mmCIF file of all heavy atoms in Angstrom:
data_model
loop_
_atom_site.group_PDB
_atom_site.id
_atom_site.type_symbol
_atom_site.label_atom_id
_atom_site.label_comp_id
_atom_site.label_asym_id
_atom_site.label_seq_id
_atom_site.Cartn_x
_atom_site.Cartn_y
_atom_site.Cartn_z
ATOM 1 N N LEU A 305 146.153 68.627 83.907
ATOM 2 C CA LEU A 305 145.875 70.057 84.094
ATOM 3 C C LEU A 305 144.387 70.320 83.902
ATOM 4 O O LEU A 305 143.758 71.040 84.675
ATOM 5 C CB LEU A 305 146.711 70.881 83.103
ATOM 6 C CG LEU A 305 146.565 72.408 83.169
ATOM 7 C CD1 LEU A 305 146.926 72.943 84.540
ATOM 8 C CD2 LEU A 305 147.430 73.083 82.116
ATOM 9 N N SER A 308 142.502 68.930 86.863
ATOM 10 C CA SER A 308 142.695 69.805 88.011
ATOM 11 C C SER A 308 141.771 71.016 87.924
ATOM 12 O O SER A 308 141.113 71.387 88.899
ATOM 13 C CB SER A 308 144.159 70.244 88.062
ATOM 14 O OG SER A 308 144.363 71.158 89.092
ATOM 15 N N SER A 356 142.064 67.959 92.967
ATOM 16 C CA SER A 356 142.682 68.938 92.062
ATOM 17 C C SER A 356 144.118 69.213 92.495
ATOM 18 O O SER A 356 144.997 69.395 91.657
ATOM 19 C CB SER A 356 141.884 70.232 92.042
ATOM 20 O OG SER A 356 142.115 70.993 93.201
ATOM 21 N N PHE A 357 144.360 69.204 93.823
ATOM 22 C CA PHE A 357 145.690 69.474 94.352
ATOM 23 C C PHE A 357 146.683 68.401 93.920
ATOM 24 O O PHE A 357 147.801 68.696 93.493
ATOM 25 C CB PHE A 357 145.622 69.552 95.877
ATOM 26 C CG PHE A 357 146.936 69.875 96.527
ATOM 27 C CD1 PHE A 357 147.481 71.139 96.394
ATOM 28 C CD2 PHE A 357 147.611 68.922 97.255
ATOM 29 C CE1 PHE A 357 148.694 71.451 96.988
ATOM 30 C CE2 PHE A 357 148.821 69.225 97.849
ATOM 31 C CZ PHE A 357 149.368 70.487 97.719
ATOM 32 N N ILE A 358 146.255 67.136 94.000
ATOM 33 C CA ILE A 358 147.151 66.037 93.635
ATOM 34 C C ILE A 358 147.492 66.090 92.146
ATOM 35 O O ILE A 358 148.661 65.980 91.756
ATOM 36 C CB ILE A 358 146.519 64.680 94.010
ATOM 37 C CG1 ILE A 358 146.456 64.553 95.544
ATOM 38 C CG2 ILE A 358 147.336 63.519 93.427
ATOM 39 C CD1 ILE A 358 145.638 63.390 96.043
ATOM 40 N N SER A 359 146.484 66.309 91.304
ATOM 41 C CA SER A 359 146.791 66.356 89.872
ATOM 42 C C SER A 359 147.594 67.618 89.545
ATOM 43 O O SER A 359 148.421 67.618 88.638
ATOM 44 C CB SER A 359 145.525 66.264 89.020
ATOM 45 O OG SER A 359 144.656 67.322 89.289
ATOM 46 N N TRP A 360 147.380 68.696 90.325
ATOM 47 C CA TRP A 360 148.159 69.923 90.115
ATOM 48 C C TRP A 360 149.628 69.699 90.444
ATOM 49 O O TRP A 360 150.519 70.157 89.729
ATOM 50 C CB TRP A 360 147.563 71.058 90.959
ATOM 51 C CG TRP A 360 148.326 72.355 90.878
ATOM 52 C CD1 TRP A 360 149.038 72.951 91.865
ATOM 53 C CD2 TRP A 360 148.450 73.207 89.732
ATOM 54 N NE1 TRP A 360 149.602 74.120 91.415
ATOM 55 C CE2 TRP A 360 149.261 74.300 90.112
ATOM 56 C CE3 TRP A 360 147.971 73.156 88.416
ATOM 57 C CZ2 TRP A 360 149.588 75.325 89.230
ATOM 58 C CZ3 TRP A 360 148.307 74.179 87.539
ATOM 59 C CH2 TRP A 360 149.102 75.245 87.949
ATOM 60 N N LEU A 361 149.897 68.973 91.547
ATOM 61 C CA LEU A 361 151.284 68.651 91.906
ATOM 62 C C LEU A 361 151.959 67.904 90.760
ATOM 63 O O LEU A 361 153.111 68.142 90.419
ATOM 64 C CB LEU A 361 151.327 67.784 93.170
ATOM 65 C CG LEU A 361 151.118 68.484 94.508
ATOM 66 C CD1 LEU A 361 151.272 67.492 95.642
ATOM 67 C CD2 LEU A 361 152.104 69.628 94.677
ATOM 68 N N TYR A 362 151.179 66.986 90.165
ATOM 69 C CA TYR A 362 151.698 66.195 89.051
ATOM 70 C C TYR A 362 152.024 67.105 87.860
ATOM 71 O O TYR A 362 153.068 66.949 87.219
ATOM 72 C CB TYR A 362 150.654 65.145 88.671
ATOM 73 C CG TYR A 362 151.125 64.200 87.611
ATOM 74 C CD1 TYR A 362 151.968 63.142 87.929
ATOM 75 C CD2 TYR A 362 150.744 64.374 86.291
ATOM 76 C CE1 TYR A 362 152.417 62.290 86.957
ATOM 77 C CE2 TYR A 362 151.184 63.517 85.307
ATOM 78 C CZ TYR A 362 152.018 62.471 85.640
ATOM 79 O OH TYR A 362 152.473 61.628 84.679
ATOM 80 N N VAL A 363 151.116 68.067 87.604
ATOM 81 C CA VAL A 363 151.330 69.027 86.521
ATOM 82 C C VAL A 363 152.623 69.814 86.746
ATOM 83 O O VAL A 363 153.420 70.010 85.831
ATOM 84 C CB VAL A 363 150.125 70.001 86.409
ATOM 85 C CG1 VAL A 363 150.455 71.181 85.508
ATOM 86 C CG2 VAL A 363 148.899 69.271 85.897
ATOM 87 N N LEU A 364 152.848 70.237 88.003
ATOM 88 C CA LEU A 364 154.015 71.058 88.337
ATOM 89 C C LEU A 364 155.322 70.340 88.022
ATOM 90 O O LEU A 364 156.349 70.962 87.783
ATOM 91 C CB LEU A 364 153.995 71.433 89.822
ATOM 92 C CG LEU A 364 152.965 72.470 90.248
ATOM 93 C CD1 LEU A 364 153.110 72.776 91.724
ATOM 94 C CD2 LEU A 364 153.110 73.744 89.439
ATOM 95 N N ALA A 372 151.700 76.850 83.166
ATOM 96 C CA ALA A 372 150.629 76.077 83.799
ATOM 97 C C ALA A 372 149.668 76.961 84.591
ATOM 98 O O ALA A 372 148.451 76.780 84.509
ATOM 99 C CB ALA A 372 151.232 75.011 84.720
ATOM 100 N N GLN B 833 152.372 78.106 96.058
ATOM 101 C CA GLN B 833 152.562 77.622 94.682
ATOM 102 C C GLN B 833 154.045 77.523 94.325
ATOM 103 O O GLN B 833 154.492 76.541 93.738
ATOM 104 C CB GLN B 833 151.870 78.564 93.677
ATOM 105 C CG GLN B 833 150.364 78.463 93.662
ATOM 106 C CD GLN B 833 149.869 77.146 93.114
ATOM 107 O OE1 GLN B 833 150.626 76.376 92.530
ATOM 108 N NE2 GLN B 833 148.596 76.876 93.300
#
Side-chain angles (χ1 to χ4, degrees):
Chain A
L305 181 59
S308 176
S356 76
F357 182 70
I358 292 169
S359 60
W360 177 248
L361 282 183
Y362 185 79
V363 168
L364 287 182
Chain B
Q833 287 292 348

